[in-house]
C-alpha cells in the first residue's frame, strides 16, 4: 500500500503545480496534501461541501454532476475528468478573494465513475506556488480551456432547445439510458456461438471487439437471418465474416438528442455506446422513444412559478400529462418515472415555499441541517394521482441548550409544509404519518431511539409503521445528513432481527392468492375480484423490503430494490426479470382501473373485478401473482419460516 502511495506522489511531483520546486520545498508541499481513494459510485465532493482547495485526479475517472431537481440519482453530467486533470476551478474566485454577489451558490457534485485516487491540494499549497509564473500560466490555460468548453456546450443546448423544445428527456446523457454491460465477442468467434450468446443473453445484437478490446463491428438478428440462415449453411463463418464493420456509435457523455439524431440520419436501430473506442453499453431506438414525454416543460414552469395561493392548479396540469401518457400507451413504469418526477418537483417547491414563508413570518432560516423524506406511494415512486400525505423530518443532533428553539422551529416547519402540501391537493394522512406530528420528526438520535423501540416491541402496529417507514425516499435537504441517517437505519435493522422475523411471520398470514387454474375457472369458484393493492402489491413491497433490509438495502423504489437484490445475488437475473414483469403487470392494472374510475367520477378503489379485464390481462395477472407468491416464499425461507 505504501509503495502504491509513493507511486502516486512520484506522479504528482511531475505535475505543473509542483514542477520546479526544490526537494525540501516539494516535500513540505506534499505533506500538506492528502491522498484519498474512492470506489466506483462514491461521492468525491458533495454539492454543498465547502471547497477548500483543488483535487488532482491521479487515477480513474470522475463525473462532475449537477442536480436536475428530479431523483437524487438522476443527475446531469457536466464533464468527465481523467487522470492528470483538476477538479475545483470554479472555486478559484474565492481563493483569489473575489466577492460573491450570489445569495445562492449552485455548486456541483463530483462522483467516482470508476475506482479513483485523488490528491487534495489545499489553498495553502496553491498560495505558496502562486508566485511562480509557470503555475499561474498553467492555471490560466486550464481555466480558459474549461470556459471554452462550457460556452460551447451551453450554446449547443440553447440551439437544440429551440429546435426540439425544452424537455427533460432531451438533456439526458446516453449513459443514463444505455443497457450495460454490452454483450461482446471477438472477431474470430464462430457464428453459431455468436448466435447462441445472443439467445442466452436475450439481446438482439452483439458487439465485435478486436485484440485491444476496441469496437470493430456489430451483428444484429437481421444479419444472422440475411447472411447465415438464408444461405442455408454457416460453414466455418466467424463473427468477422457477417458483421457490419465500423458501426455508427455514440459517446457515453452524448446527449439524448445527439443519439436520436444518429438513429434518424443513419437509419440504424442499435447504437453502441463507447468510451475511447471501448464498448460500454448499447442503446436502441426504442430505448429513446420510451423516454419521450409530452407537455412536461409547461408543467415544470407551472410548478416553479406557483405560489401558496395557486398551488392547487398544478395538480390538474400533472393530471393532463398523466392522461396523455396513458393515452399513448407508454409502459406503466415509465409513466411512474415521469409523473413521480413532477410530483417530486411539486413537493420540493412546497418545501421551498415553507422555508420562505417561515422567514417572512419571523421564524428565521433553518437553525440546523435537516432532511425531508416521503413514504408510501410517493416513496416508492409510483404515485400517479395525489393521495394521502406520508412524510417525515430528520434534523441534525443539537446541544441541549439549543434543543427548545430548534425543536420549535421544526415543529412549525412540519405544520407549515403539511398545510402547503394540502393546498397543493395532498390529503392529510388519516394515520397522522406526517412531519406535523411529533412522532414523525426529530434528530438522528431521536430517530435511532424510535427505531430501537420498534425493534424491541415488534407489535402488529409497530410492524405496520415499519413497513410504511421502509418505503422512505430522500426528497429535500442536506445530502450528507441523509447519508448519516440511512447508515443509522441500516445499523438499527441489523440489530433488530426479531423485528424483521416478526414482520416475515405476518406475511405468512397473508398469502398471495393462488390462481393456477385457467382464469375462467375463477368464476365457477365465485372469486370474481381481487384487491390488487392488498393481495398483490403489498406482498411485493414487503418481500422486497424484508429481503432488502436483511442485505443492508433500506431505501429505493421497488424497481431499484429488485436491481440491488440481483446485484447482491439474492435474485437470479431470470427471477429479477420475472419480478419486474410482475410489478409492471400489477401496477398497470392498478393505474388503468383507478384512472378510469377517476375519469368516470367514481370513488377510487384498489379492488379489481375480473369482468372488467381483457383475457390477456387476466392471463398476465395470473402469472404475475405466481411470481409474487414465489417472492413471498423466498422471503419466508430467508427467515427460516416454512
Amino acid at each position: 500500500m505504501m509503495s502504491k502511495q509513493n507511486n502516486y506522489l512520484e506522479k504528482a511531483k511531475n505535475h505543473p503545480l509542483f514542477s520546479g520546486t526544490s526537494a525540501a520545498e516539494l516535500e513540505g508541499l506534499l505533506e500538506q496534501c492528502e491522498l484519498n481513494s474512492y470506489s466506483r459510485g462514491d461521492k468525491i465532493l458533495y454539492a454543498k461541501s465547502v471547497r477548500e482547495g483543488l483535487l488532482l485526479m491521479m487515477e480513474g475517472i470522475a463525473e462532475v454532476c449537477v442536480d436536475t431537481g428530479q431523483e437524487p440519482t438522476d443527475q446531469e453530467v457536466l464533464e468527465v475528468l481523467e487522470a492528470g486533470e483538476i477538479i475545483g476551478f470554479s472555486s478559484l474566485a474565492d481563493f483569489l478573494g473575489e466577492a460573491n454577489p450570489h445569495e445562492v451558490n449552485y455548486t456541483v457534485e463530483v462522483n467516482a465513475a470508476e475506482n479513483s485516487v485523488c490528491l487534495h491540494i489545499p489553498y495553502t499549497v496553491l498560495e505558496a506556488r502562486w508566485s511562480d509564473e509557470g503555475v499561474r500560466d498553467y492555471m490560466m490555460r486550464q481555466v480558459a480551456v474549461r470556459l471554452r468548453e462550457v460556452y460551447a456546450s451551453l450554446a449547443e443546448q440553447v440551439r437544440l432547445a429551440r429546435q426540439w423544445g425544452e424537455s427533460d428527456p432531451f438533456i439526458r446523457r446516453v449513459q443514463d439510458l444505455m443497457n450495460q454491460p454490452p454483450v461482446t465477442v471477438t472477431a474470430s468467434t464462430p457464428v453459431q456461438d455468436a448466435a447462441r450468446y445472443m439467445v442466452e443473453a436475450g439481446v438482439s445484437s452483439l458487439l465485435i471487439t478486436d485484440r485491444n478490446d476496441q469496437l470493430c463491428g456489430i451483428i444484429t438478428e437481421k444479419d444472422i437471418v440475411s447472411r447465415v440462415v438464408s444461405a442455408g449453411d454457416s460453414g466455418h463463418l466467424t463473427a468477422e465474416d457477417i458483421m457490419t464493420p465500423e458501426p455508427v456509435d455514440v459517446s457515453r457523455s452524448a446527449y439524448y438528442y445527439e443519439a436520436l439524431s444518429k438513429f434518424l440520419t443513419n437509419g440504424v436501430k442499435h447504437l453502441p455506446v463507447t468510451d475511447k473506442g471501448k464498448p460500454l453499453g448499447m442503446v436502441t431506438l426504442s430505448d429513446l422513444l420510451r423516454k419521450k414525454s409530452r407537455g412536461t416543460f409547461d408543467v415544470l414552469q407551472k410548478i416553479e412559478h406557483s405560489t401558496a395561493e395557486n398551488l392547487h392548479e398544478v395538480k390538474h396540469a400533472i393530471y393532463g400529462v398523466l392522461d396523455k401518457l396513458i393515452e399513448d400507451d407508454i409502459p406503466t413504469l415509465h409513466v411512474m418515472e415521469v409523473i413521480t418526477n413532477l410530483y417530486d418537483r411539486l413537493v420540493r417547491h412546497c418545501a421551498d415555499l415553507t422555508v420562505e414563508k417561515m422567514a417572512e413570518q419571523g421564524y428565521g432560516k433553518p437553525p440546523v441541517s435537516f432532511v425531508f423524506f416521503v413514504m408510501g406511494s410517493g416513496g416508492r415512486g409510483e404515485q400517479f394521482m395525489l393521495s394521502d400525505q406520508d412524510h417525515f423530518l430528520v434534523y441534525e443532533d443539537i446541544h441541549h441548550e439549543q434543543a427548545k428553539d430548534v425543536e420549535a422551529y421544526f415543529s412549525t416547519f412540519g405544520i407549515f409544509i403539511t398545510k402547503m402540501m394540502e393546498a397543493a391537493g395532498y390529503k392529510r394522512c388519516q394515520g397522522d404519518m406526517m412531519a406535523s406530528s411529533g412522532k414523525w420528526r426529530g434528530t438522528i438520535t431521536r430517530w435511532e431511539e424510535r427505531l430501537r423501540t420498534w425493534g424491541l416491541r415488534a407489535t402488529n402496529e409497530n410492524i405496520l409503521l415499519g413497513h410504511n417507514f421502509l418505503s422512505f425516499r430522500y426528497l429535500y435537504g442536506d445530502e450528507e445528513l441523509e447519508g448519516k441517517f440511512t447508515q443509522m437505519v441500516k445499523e438499527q435493522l441489523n440489530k433488530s432481527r426479531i423485528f424483521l422475523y416478526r414482520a416475515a411471520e405476518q406475511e405468512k398470514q397473508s398469502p398471495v392468492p393462488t390462481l393456477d387454474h385457467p382464469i375462467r375457472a375463477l368464476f365457477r369458484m365465485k372469486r370474481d375480484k381481487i384487491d390488487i393493492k392488498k393481495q398483490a402489491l403489498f406482498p411485493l413491497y414487503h418481500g422486497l423490503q424484508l429481503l432488502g433490509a436483511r442485505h443492508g438495502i433500506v431505501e429505493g423504489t421497488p424497481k431499484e430494490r429488485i436491481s440491488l437484490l440481483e446485484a447482491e445475488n439474492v435474485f437470479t437475473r431470470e427471477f429479477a426479470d420475472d419480478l419486474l414483469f410482475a410489478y409492471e403487470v400489477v401496477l398497470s392494472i392498478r393505474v388503468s382501473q383507478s384512472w378510469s374510475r377517476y375519469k368516470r367520477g367514481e370513488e377510487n378503489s384498489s379492488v379489481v373485478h375480473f369482468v372488467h379485464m381483457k383475457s390477456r390481462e387476466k392471463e398476465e395477472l395470473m402469472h404475475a401473482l405466481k411470481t409474487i407468491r414465489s417472492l413471498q416464499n423466498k422471503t419466508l425461507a430467508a427467515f427460516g419460516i416454512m
Side-chain angles (χ1 to χ4, degrees), residues 58 88 106 150 166 246 336 515:
M58 304 301 301
Y106 292 95
V150 167
E166 291 186 357
E246 300 180 3
M336 293 299 99
L515 306 182

Side-chain angles (χ1 to χ4, degrees), residues 232-249:
D233 184 10
S234 63
H236 299 291
L237 292 176
T238 64
E240 186 175 21
D241 296 324
I242 68 166
M243 73 180 187
T244 299
E246 300 180 3
V248 178
D249 66 341

Side-chain angles (χ1 to χ4, degrees), residues 192-215:
Q192 295 290 348
D193 290 345
R196 188 175 72 254
Y197 294 150
M198 290 174 69
V199 172
E200 290 175 351
V203 297
S204 56
S205 63
L206 281 177
L207 299 184
I208 317 303
T209 56
D210 60 21
R211 294 177 180 177
N212 298 316
D213 292 327
Q214 297 288 294
L215 178 69

Side-chain angles (χ1 to χ4, degrees), residues 374 376 379-380 466-473 493 540-568 570-571 576 579-580 583 631:
V374 291
R380 292 188 295 269
H467 276 309
N468 198 50
F469 171 78
L470 283 175
S471 65
F472 74 83
R473 185 165 60 90
L493 286 175
L540 175 72
Y541 303 150
H542 296 169
L544 294 175
Q545 286 172 351
L546 292 171
L547 287 175
R550 189 177 175 85
H551 291 85
I553 301 166
V554 298
E555 62 179 337
T557 65
K559 183 178 177 182
E560 290 168 344
R561 293 187 197 227
I562 290 171
S563 177
L564 291 169
L565 286 167
E566 181 191 349
E568 291 288 331
V570 179
F571 296 155
L579 266 181
L580 279 176
Y583 181 42
L631 171 64

Side-chain angles (χ1 to χ4, degrees), residues 419-521:
K419 288 181 178 178
M420 198 71 72
M421 290 178 65
E422 190 174 17
Y426 286 91
K427 297 177 183 177
R428 286 176 177 260
C429 175
Q430 292 182 351
D432 210 22
M433 298 181 188
M434 302 176 292
S436 54
S437 167
K439 295 179 181 179
W440 292 95
R441 64 173 184 267
T443 62
I444 282 193
T445 298
R446 179 68 188 93
W447 273 103
E448 188 174 10
E449 293 168 355
R450 196 170 283 149
L451 294 182
R452 189 181 300 118
T453 299
W454 291 354
L456 292 174
R457 299 182 63 249
T459 62
N460 291 345
E461 181 182 358
N462 283 344
I463 289 172
L464 179 63
L465 293 176
H467 276 309
N468 198 50
F469 171 78
L470 283 175
S471 65
F472 74 83
R473 185 165 60 90
Y474 162 82
L475 207 60
Y476 186 90
D478 187 89
E479 290 186 25
E480 292 189 65
L481 185 62
E482 184 270 336
K484 293 177 183 177
F485 176 78
T486 303
Q487 184 58 38
M488 180 275 291
V489 174
K490 290 180 183 180
E491 292 170 358
Q492 283 303 308
L493 286 175
N494 189 49
K495 298 174 184 176
S496 304
R497 293 295 179 178
I498 187 64
F499 178 85
L500 299 178
Y501 180 84
R502 283 281 293 111
E505 276 190 325
Q506 275 200 1
E507 290 306 295
K508 187 176 182 180
Q509 307 307 316
S510 304
V512 178
T514 301
L515 306 182
D516 286 332
H517 300 288
I519 203 78
R520 58 181 176 274

Side-chain angles (χ1 to χ4, degrees), residues 360-428:
E360 289 171 2
Q361 295 190 9
Y363 293 96
K365 296 182 178 180
V368 294
S369 298
F370 74 98
V371 194
F372 185 73
F373 293 92
V374 291
M375 301 181 289
S377 58
R380 292 188 295 269
E382 58 184 39
Q383 190 169 71
F384 57 100
M385 293 193 296
L386 287 185
S387 57
D388 294 353
Q389 298 186 42
D390 280 293
H391 47 73
F392 64 91
L393 196 63
V394 181
Y395 47 94
E396 196 176 342
D397 284 326
I398 48 182
H399 296 297
H400 180 70
E401 57 269 18
Q402 295 178 285
K404 188 174 180 180
D405 291 340
V406 172
E407 288 169 4
Y409 178 91
F410 287 112
S411 174
T412 305
F413 181 96
I415 293 170
F416 274 34
I417 196 168
T418 298
K419 288 181 178 178
M420 198 71 72
M421 290 178 65
E422 190 174 17
Y426 286 91
K427 297 177 183 177
R428 286 176 177 260

